[in-house]
């Protein structure tokens, strides 16, 4: 699976949009971008995933650049409960790959009032 | 719908003692995973089950770690004997299958070995 690079930490203001970048310059054509987050003392939580089109769900939006070498997770209106470590993971989403998630260090996001 | 259940949530043991963690996945999820998360790091996969078969245990330290999922539902992860370096959070996750299916994680068991 391709390696990802994320900022170690970032702060954002409550009520504002939070834009979390992820670099995955070695991504292959059949690899998806997944985002998970981990709130303190909880297990990781799935947020969203995409291949090349932008995706949106009730939690967030995922913007993937045309060359697929980077992506941005957008939390449209950050709340204090969004304070967490956010992991960007790139992996092949086929049965033979076994659904393995390789977590990096993630971005520690602190939402401030 | 109930999520992934793990017990105990916390465990403190002395080194060289045995310890076991239990996980009950989401109903109907045939794929189950055990991860270990060291302080300040992301989770690392230890073992993956598809039904009752361990299909990926390449990262499981087999000299002291063992796992089972006898009926293809709940699972137990055991360490015997525990070492100081085993202190970590042990996470269980499940998914409806492999491929694109997302994984759902339990709250984890925080193990402290003294």
């Amino acid at each position: 699976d391709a390696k990802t690079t994320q900022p170690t930490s970032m702060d954002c203001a409550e009520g504002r949009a939070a834009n979390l970048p992820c670099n995955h310059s070695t991504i292959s054509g059949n690899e998806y971008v997944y985002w998970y987050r981990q709130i303190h003392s909880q297990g990781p939580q799935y947020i969203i995933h995409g291949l090349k089109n932008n995706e949106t769900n009730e939690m967030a939006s995922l913007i993937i650049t045309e060359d697929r070498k980077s992506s941005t997770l957008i939390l449209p209106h950050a709340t204090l409960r969004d304070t967490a470590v956010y992991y960007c993971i790139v992996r092949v989403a086929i049965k033979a790959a076994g659904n393995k998630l390789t977590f990096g260090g993630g971005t520690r996001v602190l939402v401030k009032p | 719908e109930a999520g992934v259940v793990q017990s105990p949530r916390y465990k403190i043991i002395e080194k060289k003692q045995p310890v076991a963690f239990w996980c009950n996945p989401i109903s109907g999820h045939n794929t189950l995973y055990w991860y270990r998360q060291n302080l300040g790091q992301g989770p690392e996969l230890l073992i993956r089950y598809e039904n009752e078969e361990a299909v990926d245990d390449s990262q499981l330290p087999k000299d002291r770690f063992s796992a089972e999922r006898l009926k293809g539902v709940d699972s137990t992860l055991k360490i015997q004997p525990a070492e100081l370096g085993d202190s970590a959070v042990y996470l269980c996750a499940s998914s409806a299958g492999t491929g694109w299916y997302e994984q759902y994680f339990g709250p984890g068991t925080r193990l402290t070995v003294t």
Side-chain angles (χ1 to χ4, degrees):
Chain A
D1 292 336
K3 182 177 179 180
T4 62
T5 303
Q6 298 178 254
T8 303
S9 64
M10 62 184 295
D11 295 345
C12 59
E14 185 180 22
R16 304 293 292 270
N19 296 308
L20 282 61
C22 180
N23 182 285
H24 31 79
S25 58
T26 60
I27 192 170
S28 300
N30 62 350
E31 290 182 309
Y32 286 70
V33 180
Y34 279 73
W35 283 84
Y36 281 74
R37 74 178 182 183
Q38 188 171 22
I39 295 170
H40 182 64
S41 295
Q42 297 183 21
Q45 176 190 23
Y46 166 81
I47 301 173
I48 198 168
H49 75 279
L51 182 62
K52 51 185 177 181
N53 296 322
N54 297 338
E55 302 287 344
T56 296
N57 62 21
E58 65 279 4
M59 290 183 66
S61 295
L62 174 60
I63 308 299
I64 303 174
T65 57
E66 191 168 346
D67 63 7
R68 303 207 324 121
K69 293 185 177 182
S70 65
S71 61
T72 301
L73 179 74
I74 301 173
L75 307 177
H77 304 286
T79 71
L80 299 180
R81 289 175 293 181
D82 291 322
T83 292
V85 178
Y86 287 76
Y87 296 100
C88 171
I89 300 167
V90 172
R91 69 173 187 88
V92 177
I94 58 174
K95 184 176 175 63
N99 207 13
K100 181 177 180 178
L101 293 175
T102 302
F103 289 84
T107 296
R108 190 171 299 275
V109 174
L110 176 62
V111 180
K112 296 182 174 181
Chain B
E1 178 182 281
V4 176
V5 179
Q6 290 189 248
S7 68
R9 288 295 313 276
Y10 305 91
K11 189 74 175 180
I12 301 173
I13 61 171
E14 294 182 347
K15 62 182 181 182
K16 300 184 181 180
Q17 295 300 306
V19 65
F21 315 120
W22 177 80
C23 172
N24 192 37
I26 291 173
S27 178
H29 282 193
N30 63 334
T31 306
L32 182 145
Y33 315 76
W34 282 103
Y35 289 81
R36 177 171 59 189
Q37 185 171 23
N38 294 315
L39 188 64
Q41 299 180 19
E44 296 176 309
L45 180 69
L46 292 174
I47 189 168
R48 173 172 64 92
Y49 282 91
E50 289 188 18
N51 298 305
E52 64 276 7
E53 181 182 1
V55 295
D56 182 0
D57 62 356
S58 57
Q59 302 302 310
L60 189 72
K62 298 180 182 63
D63 56 336
R64 297 182 299 105
F65 286 65
S66 65
E68 61 183 15
R69 193 184 185 200
L70 294 177
K71 296 183 179 179
V73 181
D74 56 346
S75 175
T76 302
L77 178 68
K78 299 178 181 178
I79 308 175
Q80 183 171 11
E83 298 179 351
L84 295 177
D86 296 330
S87 294
V89 175
Y90 291 83
L91 293 158
C92 178
S94 70
S95 66
T98 54
W100 60 266
Y101 293 97
E102 63 265 30
Q103 296 180 28
Y104 294 86
F105 286 78
T109 296
R110 180 175 296 277
L111 174 67
T112 302
V113 182
T114 64

